[in-house]
């Protein structure tokens, strides 16, 4: 293909992760005008099998696909290095100059590595997972640092290995769970996964995919180590002091303990890939967390340049929604950014997408379905003004409702509770449930009958 073929496009999306591909797919629904994807890898992330549990909350799978097999998508394998926001020109590493009318940056984020050594693995993209899977087969002990979703998944999925889990919090998975939910899962830390599961490998080339998050099903079945049994040791309220290696990797913790292991897995968060050289003298506003600031229309401080997914930081607030760098939000933001780009190009009136009315996240921990709604951990609220309703059935479910002034503002639903739709409606409609609080979580009462 000739370079001139890519010289001018109405819409250009940069990044082949969940946000970028979701943006591209949505743009195809809005317009027949030229759309171009710029990806630094031929392997992209495609959302499949979307299942809605409520009007907003959805679970889905993420597949790695080669762009050559993606229909109706014009693309180039290249990397953006600069932009002229006045003349609307993109400059790429392969010396292309591409004119655009609307540009969306979906360049994702990079894992924060503890140390840039080959024995410290940062799990973020399919390339790093491939390296990890090859390494874990011969390992007897690994040390995991981090307390988010990937770290929690690893502790659950790793079999036949000793795990040292280093977290700086007072309980596991604090990024998502409260102390009660963490206690609910404590019995499953040392559970071995069934050995009769088929271990599926990722279908991707060995090329690195910068910034593209793994998605919800990155582990694809059980992962095995080189030990006869599984043992999880958790070091709470501590951090890494020093890492060195001789025969084994030696890790010193700030609590004074020292461990030797085969390798260290770093799952300690990400840094947005927000570096953008603007050659017309302007600058793009960057938030304190390193993300590109976007307004409620997903537009940056530079006109006609939008951003979505992990690379961006929202510069607006919503009553029951807040930003976390999750694959669910990457999909929502990518689709909404496409809508914003199209409406600005066509001068149509834009209304903010309904998904930003309520924070939702569907995932699984330790084999249990987990649905998080609204301010599920009372985020941003004065704890003195909140009431918590909790119901726990060991081995089956953990349910928590967060109430403020007699109204439900958040919910944490673990297990097959069948309460997600009711909780979503209560949060969105802000119904006063003061007189029903004794009945809301009574398993013998069908509370939905009160709202029919």
């Amino acid at each position: 293909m000739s370079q001139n073929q890519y010289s001018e496009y109405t819409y250009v999306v940069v990044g082949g992760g969940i946000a970028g591909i979701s943006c591209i797919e949505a743009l195809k629904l809005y317009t027949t005008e030229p759309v171009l994807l710029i990806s630094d890898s031929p392997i992209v992330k495609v959302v499949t099998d979307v299942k809605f549990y409520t009007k907003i909350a959805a679970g889905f799978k993420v597949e790695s696909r080669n762009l050559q097999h993606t229909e109706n998508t014009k693309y180039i394998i290249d990397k953006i290095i600069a932009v002229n926001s006045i003349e609307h020109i993109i400059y790429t590493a392969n010396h292309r100059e591409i004119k655009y009318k609307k540009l969306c940056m979906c360049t994702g984020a990079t894992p924060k590595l503890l140390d840039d050594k080959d024995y410290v693995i940062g799990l973020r993209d399919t390339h790093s997972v491939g390296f990890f899977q090859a390494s874990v087969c011969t390992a007897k002990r690994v040390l995991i640092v981090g307390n988010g979703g990937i770290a929690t998944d690893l502790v659950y999925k790793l079999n036949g290995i000793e795990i040292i889990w280093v977290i700086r919090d007072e309980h596991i998975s604090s990024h998502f769970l409260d102390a009660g939910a963490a206690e609910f899962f404590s019995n499953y830390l040392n559970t071995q996964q069934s050995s009769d599961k088929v271990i599926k490998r990722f279908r991707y080339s060995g090329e690195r995919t910068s910034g593209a998050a793994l998605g919800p099903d990155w582990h694809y079945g059980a992962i095995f180590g080189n030990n006869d049994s599984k043992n999880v040791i958790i070091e709470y309220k501590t951090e890494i002091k020093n890492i060195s290696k001789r025969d084994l990797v030696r890790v010193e913790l700030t609590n004074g303990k020292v461990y030797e292991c085969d390798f260290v897995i770093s799952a300690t968060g990400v840094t947005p890939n927000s570096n953008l050289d603007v050659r017309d003298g302007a600058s793009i506003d960057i938030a304190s967390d390193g993300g590109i600031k976007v307004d409620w229309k997903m537009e940056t401080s530079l006109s006609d340049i939008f951003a979505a997914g992990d690379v961006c930081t929202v510069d607006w607030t919503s009553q029951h929604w807040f930003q976390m760098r999750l694959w669910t939000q990457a999909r929502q933001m990518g689709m909404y950014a496409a809508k914003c780009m199209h409406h600005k190009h066509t001068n149509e009136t834009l209304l903010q997408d309904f998904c930003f009315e309520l924070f939702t996240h569907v995932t699984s921990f330790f084999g249990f379905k987990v649905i998080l709604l609204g301010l599920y951990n009372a985020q941003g609220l004065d704890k003195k003004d909140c009431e918590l309703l909790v119901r726990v059935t060991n081995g089956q479910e953990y349910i928590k409702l967060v109430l403020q002034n007699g109204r439900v503002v958040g919910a944490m639903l673990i297990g097959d509770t069948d309460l997600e739709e009711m909780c979503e409606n209560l949060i969105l409609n802000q119904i006063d449930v003061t007189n029903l609080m004794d009945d809301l979580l009574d398993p013998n009462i069908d509370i939905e009958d009160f709202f029919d």
Side-chain angles (χ1 to χ4, degrees):
M1 296 182 183
S2 66
Q3 179 173 324
N4 292 334
Q5 189 170 350
Y6 308 112
S7 59
E8 187 168 351
Y9 285 83
T10 304
Y11 304 97
V12 176
V13 178
V14 182
I18 296 172
I21 299 304
S22 296
C23 186
I24 286 286
E25 294 296 328
L27 280 170
K28 292 177 185 178
L29 302 177
Y30 286 118
T31 183
T32 57
E33 296 204 45
V35 179
L36 175 69
L37 171 67
I38 301 176
S39 173
D40 63 0
S41 168
I43 308 303
V44 297
K45 298 291 185 181
V46 179
V47 170
T48 64
D49 298 335
V50 178
K51 177 183 178 181
F52 280 91
Y53 292 88
T54 68
K55 293 179 181 177
I56 302 176
F60 52 82
K61 295 180 181 178
V62 175
E63 293 182 2
S64 296
R65 289 185 186 173
N66 195 305
L67 276 170
Q68 294 178 343
H69 304 132
T70 305
E71 296 182 357
N72 303 321
T73 299
K74 295 182 179 179
Y75 66 90
I76 56 173
I77 308 303
D78 209 337
K79 186 175 183 178
I80 182 172
I81 58 172
V83 65
N84 185 317
S85 65
I86 296 176
E87 297 184 18
H88 286 46
I89 298 175
I90 296 168
Y91 303 94
T92 76
N94 291 329
H95 308 292
R96 291 184 172 96
E97 294 185 9
I98 303 165
K99 288 194 66 101
Y100 68 89
K101 293 182 180 178
K102 299 291 179 286
L103 168 65
C104 189
M105 300 295 296
C106 301
T107 46
T110 300
K112 298 175 183 175
L113 278 181
L114 294 164
D115 201 351
D116 190 16
K117 305 291 185 182
D118 59 359
Y119 49 81
V120 178
I121 301 174
L123 285 181
R124 178 63 184 175
D125 50 36
T126 50
H127 181 91
S128 60
V129 169
F131 181 70
F132 163 74
Q133 287 183 323
S135 302
V136 77
C137 293
T138 59
K140 292 185 177 180
R141 175 192 274 184
V142 298
L143 188 142
I144 300 173
V145 186
N147 205 15
I150 288 179
T152 304
D153 279 341
L154 263 181
V155 171
Y156 173 60
K157 299 300 291 188
L158 280 171
N159 273 347
I161 198 165
E162 187 172 7
I163 300 168
I164 313 300
W165 191 4
V166 177
I167 62 178
R168 60 185 180 185
D169 307 294
E170 295 182 348
H171 64 267
I172 64 170
S173 311
S174 63
H175 197 57
F176 296 98
L177 307 179
D178 58 16
E183 178 64 25
F184 174 83
F185 286 125
S186 62
N187 293 330
Y188 303 94
L189 287 169
N190 291 296
T191 302
Q192 290 269 70
Q193 295 301 290
S194 173
S195 60
D196 58 0
K197 288 185 178 180
V198 176
I199 302 177
K200 300 179 182 178
R201 297 297 181 184
F202 284 92
R203 298 182 185 133
Y204 64 92
S205 69
E207 299 188 38
R208 187 174 298 276
T209 53
S210 174
L214 294 173
D217 298 307
W218 63 272
H219 36 68
Y220 285 99
I223 307 173
F224 295 92
N226 190 35
N227 214 333
D228 293 331
S229 61
K230 178 176 181 177
N231 182 36
V232 179
I233 300 171
I234 305 176
E235 291 292 345
Y236 295 97
K237 300 177 69 174
T238 189
E239 298 182 61
I240 302 295
K241 182 179 180 180
N242 186 53
I243 303 176
S244 58
K245 183 180 181 182
R246 291 184 181 176
D247 293 332
L248 292 172
V249 181
R250 186 175 187 272
V251 181
E252 299 178 48
L253 304 180
T254 55
N255 64 6
K257 294 185 180 181
V258 177
Y259 286 98
E260 289 187 335
C261 59
D262 293 285
F263 57 88
V264 175
I265 302 165
S266 177
T268 52
V270 297
T271 301
N273 296 324
S274 56
N275 293 329
L276 182 63
D277 180 13
V278 185
R279 292 186 175 175
D280 52 64
S283 61
I284 196 164
D285 287 351
I286 302 295
S288 58
D289 64 359
I292 298 174
K293 281 187 180 181
V294 294
D295 61 18
W296 71 272
K297 298 179 180 179
M298 304 305 292
E299 193 166 11
T300 70
S301 57
L302 300 178
S303 181
D304 296 328
I305 298 181
F306 300 74
D310 287 358
V311 74
C312 79
T313 299
V314 298
D315 196 27
W316 44 271
T317 59
S318 181
Q319 184 178 5
H320 298 121
W321 184 91
F322 56 94
Q323 183 180 12
M324 292 176 70
R325 287 183 163 84
L326 304 168
W327 49 81
T328 46
Q329 290 191 346
R331 174 178 174 267
Q332 291 170 337
M333 286 183 174
M335 295 172 66
Y336 178 55
K339 180 180 179 181
C340 296
M341 294 164 72
H342 173 69
H343 277 63
K344 184 172 183 183
H345 178 63
T346 57
N347 294 315
E348 295 179 40
T349 301
L350 176 69
L351 298 176
Q352 190 173 56
D353 196 280
F354 189 61
C355 70
F356 298 108
E357 291 289 314
L358 179 68
F359 173 89
T360 63
H361 186 53
V362 179
T363 186
S364 65
F365 289 141
F366 300 98
F368 288 83
K369 180 175 68 177
V370 177
I371 297 181
L372 307 174
L373 301 173
L375 309 179
Y376 63 90
N377 268 336
Q379 289 90 342
L381 301 178
D382 187 339
K383 302 300 189 292
K384 296 179 182 178
D385 296 334
C386 295
E387 295 180 82
L388 302 181
L389 298 181
V390 179
R391 185 176 90 199
V392 183
T393 307
N394 288 333
Q396 294 185 31
E397 62 182 14
Y398 179 92
I399 302 168
K400 181 185 71 176
L401 303 185
V402 181
L403 291 91
Q404 185 183 44
N405 299 322
R407 291 167 170 80
V408 180
V409 295
M412 178 183 295
L413 308 173
I414 298 173
D416 295 319
T417 67
D418 293 327
L419 294 175
E420 52 266 24
E421 196 164 5
M422 179 198 76
C423 291
E424 179 180 270
N425 290 332
L426 289 177
I427 298 171
L428 291 174
N429 296 327
Q430 284 298 278
I431 299 171
D432 190 333
V433 295
T434 303
N435 296 328
L436 299 173
M437 288 176 62
D438 292 338
D439 300 323
L440 272 177
L441 294 185
D442 188 332
N444 298 313
I445 297 176
D446 188 352
I447 196 67
E448 292 184 352
D449 291 343
F450 285 95
F451 307 109
D452 286 343

